[in-house]
């Protein structure tokens, strides 16, 4: 008994606790401290946890697609603007070509109206006037309408993304007017070529180096040339029929600039 009491006393001194209590606690796991995170097993997730994760994924997908859509729309708008700028510049170039051609046609018209004014009597017309228009029948008044930008608009697919359909119809109509204008000028030139060819087939009379009064007398003596002068004086426009025929060019240019503010 004495030995047992001595051993117990020694244990109390060494650890401050009874030996049997230490053995009793050694096999048990301790509880987590207050506020420490608790690991959650996948088997214990609730439907709210799954809904939260799913919503995060869905929102991410929606944001990605929305961003892609915005980028695509921005790229389309930029493509349309770039193409319309090309069309805008091309129409301004065509406007200058049209005006230049119309001025030359006006020169032809003034000369042919002069002959009509004098009843096509060459002897009544002043020599300086005959000299001025001596090359009237020998000069062609061609016009090279440009449509490269318009072809780009159609072939690139940008035409389907032009939001302003009314403006698009104006552009299409404008190019149709320009094509009609070119066809009219080509027809005029062909009539002039036919007249000159008929005159040239006359043999000795077809001498363009003769004195102007004599040359015009020979030209007006030719029935085809005479008919061309009488008809074409009004074909090319009075007052300026061809220019007014495509007056929509200026309006279309202004409409494009109002829409895209290029200038």
């Amino acid at each position: 008994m004495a030995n047992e009491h001595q051993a117990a006393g020694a244990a109390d001194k060494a650890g401050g606790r009874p030996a049997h209590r230490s053995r009793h606690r050694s096999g048990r796991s301790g509880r987590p401290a207050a506020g420490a995170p608790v690991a959650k097993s996948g088997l214990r997730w609730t439907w709210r946890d799954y809904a939260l994760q799913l919503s995060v994924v869905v929102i991410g997908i929606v944001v990605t697609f929305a961003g892609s859509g915005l980028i695509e729309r921005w790229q389309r708008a930029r493509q349309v603007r770039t193409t319309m700028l090309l069309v805008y510049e091309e129409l301004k170039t065509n406007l200058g070509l049209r005006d230049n051609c119309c001025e030359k046609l006006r020169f032809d018209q003034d000369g042919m109206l002069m002959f009509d004014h004098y009843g096509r009597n060459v002897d009544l017309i002043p020599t300086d006037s005959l000299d001025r228009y001596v090359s009237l029948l020998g000069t062609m008044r061609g016009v090279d309408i440009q449509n490269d930008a318009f072809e780009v608009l159609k072939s690139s697919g940008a035409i389907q993304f032009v939001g302003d359909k009314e403006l698009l119809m104006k552009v299409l109509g404008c190019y149709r007017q320009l094509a009609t204008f070119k066809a009219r000028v080509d027809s005029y030139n062909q009539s002039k070529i036919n007249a000159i060819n008929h005159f040239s087939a006359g043999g000795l009379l077809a001498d363009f180096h003769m004195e102007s009064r004599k040359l015009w007398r020979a030209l007006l003596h030719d029935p085809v040339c005479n008919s061309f002068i009488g008809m074409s004086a009004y074909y090319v426009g009075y007052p300026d029929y061809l220019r007014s025929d495509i007056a929509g060019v200026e309006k279309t240019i202004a409409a494009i600039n109002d829409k895209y503010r290029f200038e």
Side-chain angles (χ1 to χ4, degrees), residues 211-232:
E211 184 264 336
S212 61
R213 192 176 300 276
K214 186 177 180 180
L215 174 60
W216 275 114
R217 188 178 288 111
L219 287 169
L220 292 173
H221 182 74
D222 183 276
V224 178
C225 289
N226 195 304
S227 176
F228 172 79
I229 290 176
M231 176 271 296
S232 297

Side-chain angles (χ1 to χ4, degrees), residues 55-160:
S55 64
V56 171
V57 173
V58 171
I59 292 174
I61 294 173
V62 170
V63 170
T64 300
F65 276 102
S68 300
L70 289 174
I71 293 174
E72 184 177 1
R73 286 194 294 272
W74 177 80
Q75 290 175 337
R76 289 176 178 175
R78 185 177 182 182
Q79 181 188 17
V80 169
R81 181 178 176 83
T82 301
T83 307
M84 291 302 291
L85 176 59
L86 295 176
V87 170
Y88 177 75
E89 295 296 338
E90 184 172 79
L91 286 178
K92 290 201 299 182
T93 299
N94 284 331
L95 183 62
L97 293 172
R98 181 210 69 173
D99 288 344
N100 182 263
C101 182
C102 284
E103 289 305 316
K104 293 177 180 179
L105 290 172
R106 173 67 77 181
F107 175 84
D108 283 14
Q109 181 190 44
D110 290 343
M112 289 182 281
L113 289 174
M114 178 197 70
F115 284 105
D116 273 1
H117 176 72
Y118 287 99
R120 302 184 203 177
N121 187 341
V122 176
D123 296 328
L124 299 178
I125 303 174
T127 302
D128 58 343
S129 297
L130 292 174
D131 291 341
R132 181 185 181 193
Y133 295 107
V134 71
S135 62
L136 188 151
L137 290 179
T139 305
M140 301 302 109
R141 305 305 188 186
V143 57
D144 187 17
I145 297 298
Q146 299 182 10
N147 62 354
D148 292 338
F150 183 55
E151 292 300 324
V152 170
L153 176 65
K154 294 189 296 182
S155 61
S156 65
I159 192 170
Q160 61 182 312

Side-chain angles (χ1 to χ4, degrees), residues 228-258:
F228 172 79
I229 290 176
M231 176 271 296
S232 297
Y234 301 95
Y235 179 85
V236 295
Y238 187 82
D240 222 344
Y241 158 68
L242 284 179
R243 189 189 298 270
S244 62
D245 189 44
I246 52 173
V249 178
E250 292 98 329
K251 294 179 181 179
T252 302
I253 292 174
I256 294 175
N257 190 48
D258 287 343

Side-chain angles (χ1 to χ4, degrees), residues 40-53:
K40 181 179 291 187
S41 172
L43 297 176
R44 296 177 59 188
W45 279 31
T46 67
W47 66 271
R48 291 186 178 86
D49 297 321
Y50 285 110
L52 178 62
Q53 293 297 321

